[in-house]
Amino acid sequence: MYVQSNPILTHVTISNNTANNSGGGMYISYYSNPILTNVTISNNTANLLGGGLLLGNRSNLLVTNSIIWNNLPESISINNNQSPNLEPVPSITTISYSNIEDGEAGIITSDNDSLYWNEGNIDQDPLFTDPENGDFTLQTGSTC
């Protein structure tokens, strides 16, 4: 049995989470197609992969007008080799008008995956007001 989900998240903040393994902020499993719009994923940690977000095998991710910042070890990991029982099938990630820490380099992909880095993306400190205390509103002068 394979997991399938198609979450649509709008105006959501995912912050200050920790995973012992992978997917600190969010772990999207097999055959899933998440859509993230106006989402902030920040200050999350995973010991292995996907501090901000881990996308599983045979899944597709659409990110628009979002901020993925200050996650360890990387912003996004797309890992199509999670199960020895499944042949890796490419995942597609499309990102537009978003602020991703380390830009395209902040996204780790497997060999077969496709990353569409569309227009409007930046890699600049979002200038959160007080992220240590959970305030992810943006300061005046933020490029976001």
Side-chain angles (χ1 to χ4, degrees):
M1 179 176 178
Y2 299 112
V3 175
Q4 181 177 5
S5 65
N6 298 306
I8 299 172
L9 302 178
T10 305
H11 300 288
V12 173
T13 299
I14 300 169
S15 63
N16 301 316
N17 298 290
T18 302
N20 288 331
N21 195 351
S22 300
M26 198 174 177
Y27 183 151
I28 303 294
S29 195
Y30 305 105
Y31 296 99
S32 297
N33 301 294
I35 298 172
L36 309 180
T37 306
N38 298 321
V39 171
T40 298
I41 301 175
S42 187
N43 295 356
N44 300 290
T45 304
N47 287 332
L48 292 179
L49 296 169
L53 186 146
L54 175 69
L55 186 68
N57 201 11
R58 303 167 188 240
S59 295
N60 301 299
L61 172 65
L62 177 61
V63 179
T64 306
N65 200 34
S66 295
I67 301 170
I68 303 178
W69 198 264
N70 198 35
N71 300 287
L72 295 173
E74 69 277 316
S75 295
I76 299 171
S77 180
I78 305 161
N79 185 3
N80 276 328
N81 299 314
Q82 296 172 351
S83 173
N85 301 324
L86 289 176
E87 179 181 330
V89 171
S91 292
I92 298 170
T93 298
T94 304
I95 301 176
S96 304
Y97 299 101
S98 294
N99 189 3
I100 310 296
E101 186 172 22
D102 297 324
E104 289 181 76
I107 303 168
I108 307 302
T109 61
S110 300
D111 293 338
N112 299 341
D113 300 313
S114 295
L115 172 61
Y116 295 100
W117 189 257
N118 291 346
E119 64 184 272
N121 293 320
I122 59 173
D123 170 19
Q124 297 178 6
D125 185 342
L127 299 177
F128 293 129
T129 300
D130 188 10
E132 291 78 23
N133 292 306
D135 185 354
F136 292 94
T137 58
L138 300 172
Q139 296 178 35
T140 301
S142 170
T143 56
C144 297

